[in-house]
Amino acid sequence: MANFETVEVSTDLLILGGGFSACGAATEAAYWAKKNGLKVTLVDKAAMDRSGAVAMGPSAINQYVGVRDGENTVEDYVRYVRQDLMGISREDLVYNIARHVDSTVHLFEKWGLKIWTDEEGKYVHEGRWQLMINGESYKIIIAEAAKNAIADAGGELIERVFITDPLMDGNKCVGAVGFSTREEKFYVFKAKAVIVGLGGAVHVFRPRSVGEGFGRSWYPPFNSGSSAYMTLKAGAEMTCQEVRFIPVRFKDAYGPVGAWFLLFQSRATSAEGGEYMVVREDELKNWAPYGLAKPIPANLRNYLGMLDTDAGLGPLYMETDEAIQKLAEKYKDDEKAFKKKMKELESEAWEDFLDMTISQAILWASMNVYPEQKHSEIAACEPYFIGSHSGASGAWVSGPEDLDTPYKWGYENMTTVEAMFAVGDASGASSHKFSSGSHTEGRIAGKAAIKYILEKGAKPNVDMAQAEELKKKVLAPLDLFEEHKDEFTDPEVNTHYIMPRQFLHRLQKIMDEYAGGVTAAFKTSKSNLERGLELMDFLKEDSDKMAARDLHELMRVWENIQRMWIAESHIRTMLFREETRWPGYYFRSDTPKMDEENWKCFANCRYNPETGEWEMFKKDIWNIPGV
Ligand SMILES: Cc1cc2nc3c(=O)[nH]c(=O)nc-3n(C[C@H](O)[C@H](O)[C@H](O)COP(=O)(O)OP(=O)(O)OC[C@H]3O[C@@H](n4cnc5c(N)ncnc54)[C@H](O)[C@@H]3O)c2cc1C
């Protein structure tokens, strides 16, 4: 076996991940840990300053309720999320986050984040819930606060360690294992409570960008389904695993469209010039009541565009030139003012990409695009799993103590596995948390986890034989490569093993063709999903044949295995839900309508680690009374 040193780390609270939710968890937990003499340890596969989905820095904070200024109420936010998710949301969780999120945003500002203000000192909104920021250092600022809090409480931050598996003591999580992506070290973390904040998943589906731009995607490449894998493997109940997210973005470089729709009030049209949101308005009646209420859910907006594409009316375009001209129009009688306004709008258009998706600016530049002169192509991206954004997949977690709901069995944000908490993309059915809401949920869970440790946290009973077994399994791809690499002339072509990239292509092909990816025009059916599961079985059989040349490839192996698990839970849950509820995310051609009577419920699943069987079941929706 590869000769890696085993490093044991004992802690009270173990936070897995270093993104927005984990930073929130660390900041809050460290405060309570310090008061009670407890240790907090945070582990990230990358460097926390720039890790996670918005490492590059976005241009807006997407969740701010604005209670202080009487802009909205917390109940307004609950209604908004319910509407966008076609009635399927854990309103207790959404409510809990929404009532605390403003205070999180105020903390961000205190820590140094520049939130735009107008002449009266009020926050500048991009849309109803979004605040404009100077976001290029957003993640660094949030990470700095978390680092300071951990250091102040005598905790530990461990970067560049990839977490592979949970450590279990029956139905209780007692830690996790992982390996360093820089040194030959295998880590065994022992903890009284564990918070999973390992983000969502990208590259489960074949991306539009293959070959020439392989790896390019809307969701940055860092997150590979580790959250879902950890909770599934621990035996936790999951929810909404069928609810993937498909954003419509500028084509090929995945540039954001939010500023165009919200700030520039731009229209999206087919190649023939029809505005699909207007031309196809009647279709929305088929998805009532959600199709007829405002704002129109993101998936339905996607769907209307997809209908145009299916009808051969594509490509679709963002009418950037028209939007800019319209905004500058009122200055048209004053040539100097008009020129100044045009310059300002033009620079805002480029800035929107430069601070968040630089590659889109590069693509525009290389294709001689002048947004003020010519429209630009947009398209629906391949599917992603991001329960904190507009998807909803994640673990089924215990809700807030003070609401009278059927969803309480433990401490806030604890999964159905004892001592294991889930936050951000790791916790399901509470979409539209975004960066600020994920941080807020982390804070809620951080406080709850410390409470759990104080009230129930016993010394973790870690079976080192289990850890040793895991070490063997985790490092096996290195051994496999070493053993057989010289038997063939090309190290990548070998009858004894496959390389992680080859495995990834196979997974993506299954998902793309059978589970409603781009090639299948986001459509699937019972027969397709069943065939996908059959192929997935063969893929699983081959998963222990992946080989790795070095630490980087070892990480690729484990990323793929984690992706395979979220993929399977996705297929199984789409198969279980016998209706089409989010037609712009996926369309089940054999059950093409929404069925409010039978399927206005959560579709939950659980992998049973004892039997290796999957359990699928429905859970009732609970609405906040009067909301
Ligand atoms: C393209 C894009 C644009 C967005 N734009 C905005 C925006 O404009 N405004 C906004 O408010 N929100 C935005 N969001 C949403 C926001 O990024 C997420 O809601 C938020 O990051 C979720 O927090 P998280 O902690 O769950 O995941 P992340 O912040 O993604 O953090 C995941 C963490 O887990 C670590 N990790 C992953 N796997 C492992 C492993 N196996 N072992 C160890 N560590 C691991 C990662 O390194 C990372 O630190 C955007 C998201 C995307 C993808």
Side-chain angles (χ1 to χ4, degrees):
M1 183 170 82
N3 188 22
F4 279 30
E5 176 193 349
T6 299
V7 182
E8 287 182 39
V9 178
S10 288
T11 187
D12 292 299
L13 176 62
L14 177 65
I15 300 174
L16 301 179
F20 265 87
S21 61
C23 285
T27 311
E28 188 76 26
Y31 173 84
W32 299 105
K34 188 178 174 189
K35 276 185 187 296
N36 293 285
L38 299 175
K39 181 181 171 191
V40 174
T41 302
L42 185 146
V43 187
D44 193 346
K45 89 192 238 195
M48 199 156 85
D49 276 349
R50 285 283 182 203
S51 67
V54 272
M56 67 302 198
S59 46
I61 288 175
N62 282 356
Q63 187 187 5
Y64 182 72
V65 179
V67 174
R68 182 174 73 177
D69 297 328
E71 287 166 350
N72 297 293
T73 64
V74 169
E75 288 77 7
D76 289 332
Y77 205 77
V78 172
R79 277 189 286 270
Y80 161 64
V81 178
R82 178 196 298 159
Q83 160 70 5
D84 195 68
L85 265 290
M86 310 288 279
I88 312 293
S89 64
R90 275 281 302 271
E91 298 192 359
D92 59 329
L93 300 177
V94 175
Y95 182 89
N96 204 20
I97 294 167
R99 68 179 160 177
H100 294 300
V101 74
D102 289 3
S103 74
T104 296
V105 172
H106 301 152
L107 274 179
F108 291 173
E109 196 172 28
K110 194 174 125 199
W111 294 337
L113 179 70
K114 171 66 191 158
I115 305 178
W116 294 11
T117 46
D118 61 17
E119 302 82 41
E120 292 165 26
K122 288 203 165 144
Y123 291 147
V124 175
H125 280 258
E126 187 189 42
R128 182 172 176 186
W129 313 106
Q130 297 86 354
L131 300 181
M132 296 301 292
I133 56 171
N134 283 5
E136 52 285 339
S137 301
Y138 190 16
K139 182 67 206 300
I140 294 177
I141 292 168
I142 272 60
E144 184 183 40
K147 282 184 192 174
N148 288 345
I150 293 171
D152 186 46
E156 203 172 351
L157 166 66
I158 301 176
E159 296 178 324
R160 310 255 183 229
V161 168
F162 186 90
I163 294 294
T164 59
D165 278 279
L167 280 172
M168 301 299 293
D169 175 17
N171 184 43
K172 188 175 172 191
C173 183
V174 289
V177 297
F179 61 91
S180 165
T181 59
R182 290 288 188 274
E183 302 165 292
E184 298 198 338
K185 286 183 179 168
F186 181 78
Y187 279 83
V188 179
F189 297 100
K190 303 173 180 177
K192 293 177 183 161
V194 177
I195 296 180
V196 180
L198 297 163
V202 61
H203 288 146
V204 176
F205 282 81
R206 180 157 53 197
R208 280 184 183 274
S209 310
V210 291
E212 86 297 342
F214 184 73
R216 201 56 226 129
S217 53
W218 170 76
Y219 196 132
F222 319 121
N223 295 333
S224 56
S226 306
S227 292
Y229 175 85
M230 290 294 283
T231 47
L232 276 167
K233 275 308 272 290
E237 186 174 334
M238 306 291 286
T239 191
C240 297
Q241 289 301 101
E242 76 279 37
V243 192
R244 78 267 294 264
F245 176 45
I246 294 184
V248 166
R249 292 293 182 265
F250 284 97
K251 189 161 178 296
D252 293 334
Y254 301 85
V257 296
W260 284 100
F261 280 131
L262 299 172
L263 205 64
F264 294 104
Q265 300 287 308
S266 178
R267 297 184 319 134
T269 64
S270 74
E272 312 228 327
E275 188 180 349
Y276 52 78
M277 292 307 297
V278 177
V279 179
R280 296 195 180 270
E281 202 184 345
D282 267 2
E283 173 63 29
L284 294 172
K285 290 183 192 145
N286 295 329
W287 308 95
Y290 317 105
L292 299 179
K294 291 278 176 339
I296 299 166
N299 86 86
L300 291 181
R301 282 181 272 136
N302 283 1
Y303 183 54
L304 299 193
M306 287 172 186
L307 288 175
D308 267 12
T309 309
D310 285 354
L313 300 176
L316 306 180
Y317 288 101
M318 181 73 81
E319 299 295 341
T320 55
D321 47 339
E322 176 191 86
I324 289 184
Q325 295 295 340
K326 232 190 213 160
L327 286 172
E329 204 170 59
K330 69 173 176 202
Y331 302 88
K332 71 175 185 309
D333 296 331
D334 177 343
E335 195 188 337
K336 208 168 145 208
F338 181 78
K339 269 195 179 153
K340 189 169 166 237
K341 187 67 189 171
M342 283 297 282
K343 197 93 215 130
E344 187 188 309
L345 290 167
E346 194 194 321
S347 74
E348 269 179 25
W350 286 94
E351 192 255 9
D352 188 45
F353 293 155
L354 285 171
D355 65 4
M356 194 168 162
T357 315
I358 295 165
S359 48
Q360 184 71 54
I362 295 169
L363 188 70
W364 267 12
S366 66
M367 297 178 96
N368 302 331
V369 170
Y370 292 87
E372 67 282 16
Q373 288 176 15
K374 200 173 165 211
H375 60 198
S376 267
E377 200 180 337
I378 53 172
C381 306
E382 61 279 358
Y384 310 104
F385 298 92
I386 178 162
S388 67
H389 202 289
S390 310
S393 53
W396 184 246
V397 298
S398 192
E401 287 170 16
D402 59 326
L403 294 187
D404 188 15
T405 78
Y407 312 131
K408 286 188 293 191
W409 59 87
Y411 293 75
E412 288 178 35
N413 277 80
M414 193 159 101
T415 66
T416 55
V417 167
E418 198 183 337
M420 180 182 250
F421 295 72
V423 290
D425 295 321
S427 91
S430 49
S431 322
H432 294 277
K433 303 177 252 201
F434 303 103
S435 58
S436 46
S438 296
H439 192 278
T440 306
E441 195 180 30
R443 289 175 61 203
I444 293 167
K447 190 172 174 186
I450 294 290
K451 188 163 177 258
Y452 168 83
I453 293 170
L454 289 171
E455 291 173 1
K456 293 201 176 156
K459 189 168 180 288
N461 178 26
V462 173
D463 175 4
M464 280 311 281
Q466 185 191 106
E468 203 47 42
E469 266 311 297
L470 285 168
K471 180 177 178 182
K472 234 194 259 167
K473 186 184 86 167
V474 167
L475 302 183
L478 293 168
D479 298 334
L480 190 61
F481 183 81
E482 278 309 311
E483 199 182 332
H484 297 290
K485 68 175 194 302
D486 297 326
E487 293 172 22
F488 287 79
T489 46
D490 182 342
E492 296 204 353
V493 181
N494 197 301
T495 52
H496 295 281
Y497 58 71
I498 49 175
M499 302 310 292
R501 181 172 284 225
Q502 293 160 340
F503 183 92
L504 181 67
H505 286 313
R506 239 173 96 184
L507 169 70
Q508 291 184 343
K509 183 171 163 64
I510 296 171
M511 297 307 286
D512 184 52
E513 294 178 359
Y514 299 97
V518 171
T519 307
F522 311 109
K523 295 185 184 70
T524 186
S525 64
K526 183 170 184 281
S527 314
N528 272 297
L529 292 166
E530 283 172 349
R531 177 69 182 140
L533 275 182
E534 263 174 47
L535 294 171
M536 195 64 88
D537 271 346
F538 290 120
L539 186 74
K540 270 195 286 181
E541 275 177 21
D542 285 346
S543 62
D544 60 4
K545 299 283 186 308
M546 262 188 287
R549 268 174 284 220
D550 51 33
L551 285 171
H552 188 70
E553 267 184 1
L554 190 63
M555 181 176 77
R556 293 286 182 244
V557 168
W558 286 100
E559 286 177 344
N560 283 344
I561 287 177
Q562 299 187 337
R563 286 187 178 106
M564 183 179 73
W565 277 74
I566 197 170
E568 182 170 356
S569 68
H570 183 52
I571 295 187
R572 287 185 184 280
T573 318
M574 285 198 292
L575 192 55
F576 180 63
R577 183 179 278 283
E578 293 176 331
E579 64 157 358
T580 294
R581 181 163 290 263
W582 302 274
Y585 292 165
Y586 75 90
F587 195 92
R588 254 194 71 165
S589 305
D590 54 336
T591 54
K593 294 204 169 122
M594 189 167 69
D595 176 357
E596 283 280 89
E597 203 182 313
N598 295 303
W599 286 102
K600 193 178 175 193
C601 61
F602 297 105
N604 285 11
C605 69
R606 178 175 178 265
Y607 170 77
N608 184 335
E610 311 262 287
T611 62
E613 300 284 316
W614 289 79
E615 299 153 10
M616 309 299 304
F617 41 95
K618 294 180 178 181
K619 280 276 165 80
D620 288 340
I621 304 274
W622 173 85
N623 296 120
I624 298 183
V627 174

